[in-house]
Amino acid sequence: MAYERQAASGFREIDRWEDGVGWLAHPDELGQRASHAVVGESGVWLLDPLWAPGVDDLIDDLAEEHDTAVAGVAICSCWHTRDADRFARRYDVPIVIPEWMGRVDDRTTAPIERYADSFDPAVEIVRRQPIPLWDEAILYWDSHDTLYTPESIGTAAPFLVDDERLGLELFFRLDPPHSLREYEPDRVIVGHGVGIVDDATRALEYALAGARRRFPRAVLENGPGTARSLVGALR
């Protein structure tokens, strides 16, 4: 199944480092929807989160370690509303989205705050709108050299081909986000899959440089999985 729609019974912790942690609420699903809590200047930000029992303890521990609190819920893809409402109510914080992002308003009930440049002074936003109805905010923290790619780049099976550790969503292989080459991240965390923490810059460069060349192979290997994921996202 591309995406599990029943309530999660637990979670798998991923991507832990000093300034953040991630989790998979449904570790066995094909789409591998990943959620993250990352520290910024304003507090802890929850990125595209999915709820699971006990995950609030994970978030609270991170906030306590940094003597701060949850600042808000950042939806970074117009397709990632997920459980944003539930987290916003749990922590009494707003949902934040770029002023140019669509789809979200009709899919949430919690207060929404729109931002022009960024939701936190520590976070640089890379705007990506490759096709109509696809709005994505890629995030970069210079303070700990972390890149977050919510949708276009991932590590779940439907994104990867050959020996890639990071790969592009199938149809975006024809239009890779080459602007990301200006970054040299120590880690790349993603909205679909477990992040890359070893030699992350090289993995990113390899994914971008060979995306088009590996497109025919990706169609053959990942076409069915991509189709299931797209159908699952529309349900």
Side-chain angles (χ1 to χ4, degrees), residues 41-183:
E41 287 189 22
S42 305
V44 174
W45 292 95
L46 308 182
L47 312 180
D48 300 332
L50 277 169
W51 185 266
V55 77
D56 48 348
D57 293 332
L58 194 72
I59 296 165
D60 295 343
D61 288 346
L62 179 67
E64 184 176 350
E65 289 168 8
H66 289 267
D67 192 25
T68 189
V70 173
V73 180
I75 296 178
C76 301
S77 165
C78 66
W79 296 93
H80 283 186
T81 306
R82 296 180 175 177
D83 292 325
D85 276 347
R86 183 167 185 172
F87 283 95
R89 290 192 297 268
R90 163 67 174 81
Y91 289 100
D92 192 23
V93 294
I95 294 171
V96 298
I97 61 175
E99 60 184 11
W100 41 263
M101 183 173 285
R103 291 192 85 248
V104 174
D105 300 75
D106 296 335
R107 292 164 175 80
T108 57
T109 58
I112 290 177
E113 294 182 2
R114 290 184 175 269
Y115 59 85
D117 298 318
S118 182
F119 56 83
D120 186 283
V123 181
E124 182 178 347
I125 308 293
V126 178
R127 179 176 180 174
R128 180 159 167 80
Q129 294 176 296
I131 58 175
L133 301 180
W134 192 290
D135 301 330
E136 179 179 8
I138 296 172
L139 314 182
Y140 189 77
W141 288 259
D142 184 67
S143 55
H144 43 83
D145 292 314
T146 300
L147 180 71
Y148 173 56
T149 60
E151 195 84 72
S152 291
I153 298 175
T155 64
F159 288 79
L160 303 177
V161 69
D162 292 342
D163 56 349
E164 292 175 337
R165 294 191 296 143
L166 278 171
L168 274 77
E169 194 279 340
L170 179 60
F171 296 106
F172 292 157
R173 287 178 175 273
L174 300 176
D175 181 26
H178 288 298
S179 63
L180 299 184
R181 285 178 166 177
E182 69 180 84
Y183 301 108

